[in-house]
Amino acid sequence: MGPAAFRSTAAPADAWPRTRRPLPWLFAAFLAAIYLLPVDAIHPSVPLPFSSDLDRFFVAVIVSVWAVGGLLGRGRPAVTRLRSRGWAAGMIAFLFIAVASIAVNVDRITNLAEWEVAQKKLMVLFGLAAVFAIA
């Protein structure tokens, strides 16, 4: 096989890491923050309805950049996307079970004064499910 065979299977010009699109770089920064920074030890003192850890802000930025890109990118040619298959059904079922378990045990959660904890954990679960679905 000569060099021409390898050139024909080359990656497109906008492939990772030579891309100017923000989402791949945000995913790389998110993974770098998860694995290289002590995100468990960084707690900004911002009162929010979800945990104010550093990785939660990354999740918010990723979801907002994806939403803005979806709204502004309507005129561009469509990118080939993966169709949702079993992973989407499994993720939706898991989220439904999490919400249902809180709804069924709402009296016990309020009696133990852990309603805020349940809300924060549920918001984190929805945020990470959104990042999973976007990725």
Side-chain angles (χ1 to χ4, degrees):
M1 289 173 80
F6 292 111
R7 264 187 260 138
S8 65
T9 60
D14 197 27
W16 174 261
R18 294 172 184 86
T19 182
R20 293 185 179 189
R21 295 176 294 145
L23 267 179
W25 288 104
L26 284 173
F27 282 124
F30 179 66
L31 290 175
I34 294 284
Y35 289 111
L36 299 176
L37 293 176
V39 291
D40 293 339
I42 302 172
H43 300 287
S45 60
V46 179
L48 295 172
F50 53 89
S51 301
S52 63
D53 293 340
L54 185 63
D55 57 338
R56 308 311 186 249
F57 293 108
F58 270 113
V59 169
V61 169
I62 288 172
V63 170
S64 62
V65 166
W66 174 77
V68 168
L71 292 174
L72 298 178
R74 297 286 182 195
R76 294 187 201 154
V79 177
T80 303
R81 299 181 191 273
L82 294 175
R83 293 190 179 116
S84 59
R85 301 223 186 262
W87 66 266
M91 187 169 56
I92 290 169
F94 183 74
L95 292 173
F96 178 75
I97 290 170
V99 171
S101 69
I102 290 175
V104 168
N105 296 315
V106 71
D107 56 342
R108 184 177 299 162
I109 291 171
T110 53
N111 285 340
L112 294 174
E114 295 194 5
W115 179 247
E116 290 181 15
V117 175
Q119 281 181 324
K120 289 183 179 188
K121 298 290 183 181
L122 197 59
M123 294 302 286
V124 169
L125 181 65
F126 279 126
L128 293 178
V131 168
F132 177 75
I134 291 169

